[in-house]
Amino acid sequence: MIVCKRVYRPAVPEDGYRVLVDRLWPRGCSRETLRLDAWLRELAPSEAIRRAFAHQPERFAAFRTAYRDELAAAPALWQPLLERACGGALTLLYAAHDETHNNARVLAEFLDEQLAAAPPREECR
């Protein structure tokens, strides 16, 4: 199961494996107190795509397409997350205020599609 959650919301056991998927460290969060298992900044959208989007909902469709293209070109970056999703809960953490138009939602959608298209694995059943 893959879920998305703002980094500012409290961690709960149901989150499972918690991964920060933003390129920049979230404001106001100390590295000592933020509970996460990994920070995969290289999995975040490139600087050019992030700046072009600028968190403007009307630019989200173009952002989504560009980011998905980047993801498709770099399976080594997201493949380990599929293994985590098969083994239990995977929580993608993000800092954006908009809970609908953000990179974590696009990544979750992309990973869900990859899981659905992959041959069934024992740990995913």
Side-chain angles (χ1 to χ4, degrees):
M1 174 176 71
I2 302 170
V3 297
C4 298
K5 185 175 186 179
R6 283 198 77 214
V7 73
Y8 304 103
R9 297 176 71 200
V12 295
E14 294 79 24
D15 288 344
Y17 193 76
R18 292 169 49 93
V19 181
L20 177 59
V21 294
D22 285 347
R23 188 164 300 277
L24 305 174
W25 189 261
R27 291 181 184 177
C29 290
S30 81
R31 294 175 195 258
E32 293 77 30
T33 59
L34 181 59
R35 192 182 151 277
L36 56 87
D37 297 296
W39 179 19
L40 300 179
R41 69 178 103 186
E42 65 277 1
L43 194 55
S46 66
E47 185 73 15
I49 291 173
R50 188 178 65 81
R51 286 185 183 265
F53 173 41
H55 298 286
Q56 301 297 314
E58 64 274 9
R59 298 179 185 173
F60 186 71
F63 167 80
R64 181 180 172 274
T65 299
Y67 183 36
R68 288 177 61 92
D69 288 347
E70 285 186 347
L71 291 169
L77 296 177
W78 49 262
Q79 196 72 40
L81 292 181
L82 294 183
E83 304 301 322
R84 292 286 182 177
C86 286
L90 171 65
T91 299
L92 304 177
L93 300 171
Y94 63 93
H97 290 284
D98 189 330
E99 296 189 19
T100 304
H101 304 99
N102 63 65
N103 63 299
R105 296 283 178 203
V106 176
L107 178 57
E109 171 189 86
F110 182 87
L111 293 173
D112 279 336
E113 290 171 6
Q114 297 303 313
L115 283 171
R121 294 185 291 222
E122 189 63 35
E123 64 271 20
C124 288
R125 293 181 192 178

